[in-house]
Amino acid sequence: MTSTVDLSARTSELLAAVGAAPLDHDSGLAATSPITGAVLGHVPLTSDVDSVIAAAADAYRSWSLVPAPVRGGLVRELGELLREHKDALGELVSIEAGKIVSEGLGEVQEMIDICDFGVGLSRQLYGNTIATERPGHRMMEQWHPLGVVAVITAFNFPVAVWSWNTVLALVAGDTVVWKPSEKTPVTAVAVQALFEEAARRAGVSPAVAQLVVGDRAVGETLVDDSRIALVSATGSTRMGREVGPRVAARFGRALLELGGNNAAIVCPSADLDLTVRGLVFSAAGTAGQRCTSLRRVIVHESVADTLVDRLGTAYSSLPVGSPLDSSTLVGPLIDEAAHDGYVDALERARKDGGTVVAGGERVRVPGAEDGVYVQPAIVRMPAQTDVVRRETFAPILYVMTYSDLDEAIALHNDVPQGLSSSIFTTDLREAERFLSAAGSDCGIANVNIGPSGAEIGGAFGGEKETGGGRESGSDAWKSYMRRTTNTVNYSSELPLAQGVTFL
């Protein structure tokens, strides 16, 4: 196990490697590592958020006039720097967010991928030509930059979600102000340093994408400021209930990525070898701290016992420990509050008649006594009770049974959240039923793959209490732009629409 001193020293080395300034060890926001609970250093707080917003608004006026393919050149530079520093940034993600090595590197790869996507997108901000009823007229749509975009991110994906938003916003011609989670400010400092170097190489003002570090009050400032055209906020449903109405009250836009309570339906025809692998990663990966983590399994009663036995066997072999150890598959929870939620949910599940069939204990890791490690838990539930319908950000997998597919889909949809979902089946009819309008009500629906994890090519987001926002691929770029409908009269007449006559 890496010692407390080593983590702090290693963090300094990694920051230097990406060109970031050393941390102030005397004041500011204390950054800790969930691996050991060690304080990595103190990140300076942003003292004047208003000035940052003003600089972003000023930069927008010139940046919005830069041709989109030229804006893509900045994104290209960022992608190249991320490739160059992937290992260093990935390790920082592991140290500060507690992700295992491959997941830390995977998060940075996701940033690289969205940069590649953004470069191509910079030449594909297409509008439409629309048929008009009036002779001698042409009607079309154009997309224009929106303004300043505030990006508020969560600890579990401390850098990738910033990139999803910032790359699209920059290509769209917007400027960005980023408030990272107070739990993961160090990775934000590292990414900002890389971005500023990319801006220098591209000959662009770094004011087009800035960082603000602070507490809830900083986020509220971004939410309430009328100079912010779009607030993209990732976090809990509770947070979204506050952000959405406040942004709407000033007629701004909100893009919300909130809670998930993701399920997998396992059908009698499912390939159980594939199913077990898919379920275990989705439920235990990232210690259950993804918004797309698998929380519920709805399995046909004919295969339920077999599946639970196999899941239990797989869980018993999961190495829990320091995420910096290459053999570890389950790292720490982010903090003690997360552990409290884990314990409380298990207690509530037992009171509701649930039986813990695997895991459920705290794990003591040598050399990391202040780290919060738990054994991922499997709980068989007699019904979908309140605790099951509530998202707990920890590795708890509730298992329930069904007898027919309609019952399973109804159970699947009977939660407030609507982010990601999956079905495991080799029956084409079952798969297509799940993907139809009468099937999953989530923004993401998968077949023979778990709900956790997504490629950047598709739009990411969900429905209901998940917030309805869409980020990353497909046409999510439209959230960061404004649409204008243009009608051009190239005739010498002035016909009115709908046959209206006047004068």
Side-chain angles (χ1 to χ4, degrees), residues 133-137 487 489 491-501:
E133 66 192 61
R134 288 172 282 186
H137 287 59
T487 303
N489 180 2
S491 74
S492 58
E493 303 297 328
L494 193 64
L496 301 179
Q498 294 86 47
V500 174
T501 58

Side-chain angles (χ1 to χ4, degrees), residues 331-357:
L333 295 177
I334 192 65
D335 54 24
E336 287 289 349
H339 179 258
D340 292 343
Y342 172 80
V343 171
D344 179 68
L346 290 176
E347 289 177 353
R348 288 174 180 266
R350 289 187 181 100
K351 289 178 182 178
D352 290 343
T355 302
V356 179
V357 296

Side-chain angles (χ1 to χ4, degrees), residues 81-152:
L81 282 166
L82 289 169
R83 283 184 170 87
E84 182 181 342
H85 297 285
K86 177 179 176 179
D87 290 346
L89 184 55
E91 188 176 345
L92 269 177
V93 170
S94 293
I95 289 173
E96 192 177 34
K99 292 189 173 185
I100 62 173
V101 173
S102 65
E103 288 194 73
L105 293 171
E107 181 161 352
V108 182
Q109 185 60 51
E110 194 162 2
M111 301 174 77
I112 295 167
D113 292 344
I114 195 67
C115 285
D116 289 349
F117 179 90
V119 173
L121 177 65
S122 69
R123 294 182 180 272
Q124 299 180 76
L125 300 176
Y126 300 137
N128 292 318
T129 298
I130 303 167
T132 173
E133 66 192 61
R134 288 172 282 186
H137 287 59
R138 177 169 60 86
M139 188 159 56
M140 64 181 183
E141 289 181 343
Q142 293 188 83
W143 291 89
H144 296 300
L146 184 63
V148 182
V149 175
V151 180
I152 300 173

